[in-house]
Amino acid sequence: MSARELTQFAYRSQKAIGVFNAPPAAAEELVLPNKPVDETKAIGYSADGRYLAWASAAEVRIVDAQSLNIVSVIDRPGIVNVQFSPSGTYVVTWERYNKSDDIAASHNLRVWDSVTGEQQGAFTQKAFSDQALQWTDDERYCAKLFSGEVRFYAPTALGKAALTLKLDGITAFSVSPGLAPSVAVFVPERGSKPALVRMYAVGAFARAVANKTFFKAESVDFHWHKLGTSLLVMTRTEVDKTGRSYYGESSLYFLAAAGNFDCRVALNQEGPIHDVAWSPVEKEFVVVYGFMPARAALFNHRAEMVFDFGVAHRNYVRFNPHGRVLVIAGFGNLSGVVDLWDRKKLKKMCSIDGHGTSYCEWGPDGRHLMTATLSPRLRVDNGIRIWHYTGTLVFCQEFKELYQVDWRPANIAKFPQRSALSPAPPGIAAAAAAAASPGFSAEATSDSASAASVPAAAPPKPAGAYRPPHARSRGAAGNGAPRSLSDMAERVAFGMSSPAGPRAVPGATFAATAATEKKARRRNRKKTKADGSDEESDTPTTAASAAAAAASDSEGKPPASSASSADIETLRRIRVLKKKIGQIDALTKKRDDGETLAPNQLVKIDSRPQIESEIAELNASLTKLNVSA
């Protein structure tokens, strides 16, 4: 890569893989020779950005990431994951475990030479983990966890361990980056014994350089500083015994690799720890923690809070490669709002609505942020969007089903950081903006981002609303009558139809609206004409005021639209009696069909004349009052 050259990313969809040149220049898909015709299981770049590899059903193919020319082919079927060593010298593949009496046949974690495609060694790894084989940055050793020990191997002699770190009960370990690598190991608590994390210099396992014990730790996540000089240990339990959290309890501990400082990071809000991120250029880190709305805070190298970003529904944080801009976002079951902060000024630059995002990473230039919606997390609205850190949408590509996307790594020196942040570039074309989901718009919150909104375009297609499976087969919105009250509510919620008017609730006080007032005035005019009066009043009246005016009429006749409480009771009585007539008709049919009826049912049939007589009397009384039943 030459200085200021294009960035690049690769994607894997349902039926294809591809490579794009990415912003800052115009994005375009590159021609990928020998593209696989069958389903691809995995793709991956080497950490230095030299190679791109993909695994198909029959083989693994490694190409030069710049020219896309083939480097090597590994003829091994069934591989479902590929990873490179830090310098790209070796590629590690994993295939599904098959139990066998032959130890060699059960090996499913294999190490290959990236250029020659020759196998260097193999291990057994039943469950996939991207940390199953860990490397030192200089590729001198690779390490793997076994029962009660961590074994270090030279890549050229994987048949025998060069170093072994033994400690009873080890369940997790992590090798640090940096020129002087360290290894941290974790032993969970057992009975009354606390859990512990110990740190050793690689190759000097006789004495630990750092040691920390604590309770309430069943599993841990290790977060190393880029230089390997500091370590954050996030501990977790599956169950919160206090009952305050569904997700268990979590804590955060700080350890210096030199062994001269360790502490528990003091967090001033109760709740789980959602995410942690180190600055790539400073010895500081950001933690998102607490019950929702969660708090995000910046801590220094002594684990002291230096800035509070406030509380919001967020659970994700990342610095850009230069450490100048950081993203604090809320994904998963949260709304998907992405906040971009200027670390130097400690001021929010803008907010992006990335609803449905399942992948969010900075590009190697530090100026562009990629958000993507992937399957199987969501199977609708899959696609890739790239944003400038001012909030401008500069790339948008939709896919039917998108499974994976990765930036091509690059040396940060090729994209130097300016003293002032870059201005907002032009947004994507109107056609691409129209194709974008309506949930992905930028909201500028500062003067520097005032020009960062996406250019005006045609209204976006209404494809972003999720519709449950049982409602997808229906036609256009509003077709067909609602089948139930829940169906009606669902149609209103998803924009399929709107109710014709307010639904009357039995026993509730009637609230007059503009429509009811208009109907009341129309009924008043009709009643006035029927009484032979030439006078028409255009004074706005409600149904209640119309009834009051009619009640004060010299003739004392109530209008047809307003009945007294006694009249309402009469109508209700008529409805009850008519229901009984219907029941009697059903019983009569059963009797005529030869079915044997109970005595009380026969008595009910004999009561029909009395019921009909009562209905006639009630109807006569309503006719006198000009009220229709």
Side-chain angles (χ1 to χ4, degrees):
M1 250 188 205
S2 60
R4 302 294 298 170
E5 196 172 346
L6 295 177
T7 57
Q8 184 187 103
F9 68 86
Y11 72 87
R12 178 173 65 93
S13 65
Q14 184 183 23
K15 297 182 179 180
I17 64 171
V19 178
F20 270 85
N21 276 336
E28 59 177 352
E29 187 165 8
L30 305 178
V31 177
L32 186 62
N34 302 305
K35 183 181 293 189
V37 295
D38 52 358
E39 182 182 3
T40 305
K41 298 295 184 180
I43 59 172
Y45 282 102
S46 60
D48 59 358
R50 280 192 301 160
Y51 301 128
L52 169 65
W54 65 81
S56 60
E59 63 184 15
V60 173
R61 196 172 288 261
I62 302 173
V63 301
D64 182 276
Q66 181 68 23
S67 64
L68 300 181
N69 294 326
I70 295 177
V71 175
S72 63
V73 177
I74 300 172
D75 292 321
R76 180 76 186 182
I79 291 174
V80 296
N81 186 268
V82 293
Q83 291 180 332
F84 284 92
S85 58
S87 298
T89 308
Y90 305 97
V91 60
V92 182
T93 64
W94 183 85
E95 49 202 84
R96 301 191 187 281
Y97 172 73
N98 291 317
K99 187 175 181 180
S100 175
D101 294 334
D102 183 2
I103 297 178
S106 64
H107 288 163
N108 62 333
L109 184 69
R110 304 176 187 274
V111 182
W112 313 79
D113 187 283
S114 299
V115 176
T116 65
E118 296 179 356
Q119 181 173 313
Q120 303 297 305
F123 305 93
T124 298
Q125 180 69 28
K126 294 183 179 180
F128 170 74
S129 170
D130 57 357
Q131 299 295 315
L133 202 64
Q134 300 184 33
W135 300 77
T136 57
D137 275 359
D138 58 5
E139 293 187 351
R140 183 179 179 184
Y141 297 110
C142 61
K144 189 178 186 306
L145 177 65
F146 292 85
S147 178
E149 60 186 28
V150 179
R151 299 177 188 174
F152 290 78
Y153 298 86
T156 55
L158 295 175
K160 184 179 179 180
L163 302 170
T164 302
L165 170 59
K166 295 184 177 182
L167 187 64
D168 289 340
I170 296 178
T171 60
F173 80 103
S174 179
V175 177
S176 75
L179 300 177
S182 302
V183 58
V185 296
F186 168 70
V187 178
E189 58 181 310
R190 291 176 293 181
S192 60
K193 293 183 179 180
L196 66 89
V197 168
R198 284 182 182 170
M199 191 186 302
Y200 299 87
V202 172
F205 302 143
R207 187 176 69 88
V209 296
N211 186 83
K212 187 68 178 176
T213 60
F214 34 74
F215 287 96
K216 297 182 179 180
E218 297 175 359
S219 61
V220 296
D221 288 333
F222 296 104
H223 300 270
W224 288 97
H225 186 271
K226 184 179 181 180
L227 300 177
T229 55
S230 302
L231 172 66
L232 290 171
V233 181
M234 186 193 304
T235 66
R236 291 192 304 272
T237 61
E238 293 296 328
V239 178
D240 182 358
K241 295 181 179 180
T242 64
R244 288 178 295 180
S245 174
Y246 175 80
Y247 300 99
E249 296 181 82
S250 55
S251 300
L252 190 64
Y253 297 88
F254 180 97
L255 288 84
N260 56 358
F261 179 74
D262 66 75
C263 70
R264 178 174 179 172
V265 180
L267 305 177
N268 59 359
Q269 182 170 321
E270 291 187 354
I273 298 172
H274 304 286
D275 201 10
V276 178
W278 281 100
S279 168
V281 295
E282 301 289 344
K283 290 185 178 180
E284 61 186 19
F285 57 94
V286 174
V287 186
V288 182
Y289 60 95
F291 295 115
M292 291 294 167
R295 183 177 300 277
L298 178 69
F299 295 81
N300 62 15
H301 67 288
R302 305 294 290 183
E304 300 167 335
M305 184 187 294
V306 295
F307 184 75
D308 187 347
F309 294 97
V311 295
H313 289 80
R314 308 288 185 267
N315 58 4
Y316 178 90
V317 59
R318 288 292 184 277
F319 281 89
N320 76 337
H322 302 90
R324 175 65 187 272
V325 183
L326 69 152
V327 52
I328 303 176
F331 299 134
N333 60 348
L334 301 181
S335 60
V337 176
V338 179
D339 297 330
L340 295 165
W341 286 77
D342 184 341
R343 165 61 188 92
K344 185 176 181 180
K345 298 180 180 179
L346 291 175
K347 181 179 179 182
K348 187 166 77 169
M349 302 164 57
C350 65
S351 292
I352 299 169
D353 188 353
H355 180 73
T357 296
S358 47
Y359 173 90
C360 179
E361 288 294 342
W362 285 100
D365 65 344
R367 295 171 175 81
H368 293 91
L369 179 73
M370 178 186 291
T371 62
T373 303
L374 306 178
S375 291
R377 172 68 178 83
L378 284 176
R379 296 191 180 275
V380 294
D381 296 338
N382 283 195
I384 300 170
R385 293 164 180 79
I386 300 178
W387 310 81
H388 190 263
Y389 54 37
T390 54
T392 304
L393 180 63
V394 296
F395 176 83
C396 177
Q397 179 72 40
E398 303 294 334
F399 294 87
K400 183 177 180 181
E401 284 191 24
L402 181 66
Y403 293 107
Q404 187 180 355
V405 61
D406 283 318
W407 284 104
R408 178 188 178 190
N411 193 332
I412 190 176
K414 300 182 184 298
F415 303 96
Q417 177 68 53
R418 302 168 183 166
S419 57
L421 294 176
S422 304
I428 61 175
S437 171
F440 289 78
S441 60
E443 175 192 350
T445 57
S446 66
D447 294 339
S448 63
S450 59
S453 57
V454 177
K461 61 179 182 179
Y466 174 77
R467 191 176 292 178
H470 67 273
R472 293 174 186 171
S473 59
R474 296 178 187 167
N479 286 355
R483 295 173 294 181
S484 63
L485 291 177
S486 60
D487 187 18
M488 178 185 294
E490 179 183 281
R491 293 188 180 204
V492 173
F494 293 110
M496 298 170 64
S497 65
S498 58
R503 191 167 65 89
V505 179
T509 304
F510 176 76
T513 63
T516 57
E517 291 178 1
K518 186 176 181 180
K519 290 179 180 179
R521 288 198 301 270
R522 189 179 296 119
R523 285 195 298 266
N524 263 355
R525 286 194 292 269
K526 290 181 179 179
K527 178 64 172 63
T528 304
K529 291 179 180 179
D531 291 342
S533 173
D534 295 333
E535 221 177 284
E536 292 188 10
S537 175
D538 291 332
T539 305
T541 60
T542 64
S545 61
S552 62
D553 189 87
S554 60
E555 295 182 8
K557 294 181 181 179
S561 61
S562 59
S564 65
S565 59
D567 299 333
I568 294 174
E569 290 299 326
T570 302
L571 291 171
R572 288 177 179 171
R573 178 60 180 167
I574 292 174
R575 283 197 294 271
V576 171
L577 294 175
K578 287 183 176 180
K579 185 177 179 181
K580 287 185 178 181
I581 292 293
Q583 295 170 350
I584 291 173
D585 291 339
L587 292 174
T588 303
K589 186 176 183 304
K590 290 181 179 181
R591 184 190 62 183
D592 295 342
D593 291 340
E595 187 175 335
T596 303
L597 301 180
N600 60 332
Q601 293 176 323
L602 295 173
V603 172
K604 191 170 187 177
I605 293 175
D606 295 337
S607 65
R608 182 184 182 109
Q610 291 86 350
I611 295 175
E612 291 177 341
S613 175
E614 186 176 353
I615 291 175
E617 293 177 1
L618 293 173
N619 281 329
S621 64
L622 290 175
T623 303
K624 292 179 181 179
L625 294 173
N626 196 24
V627 177
S628 175

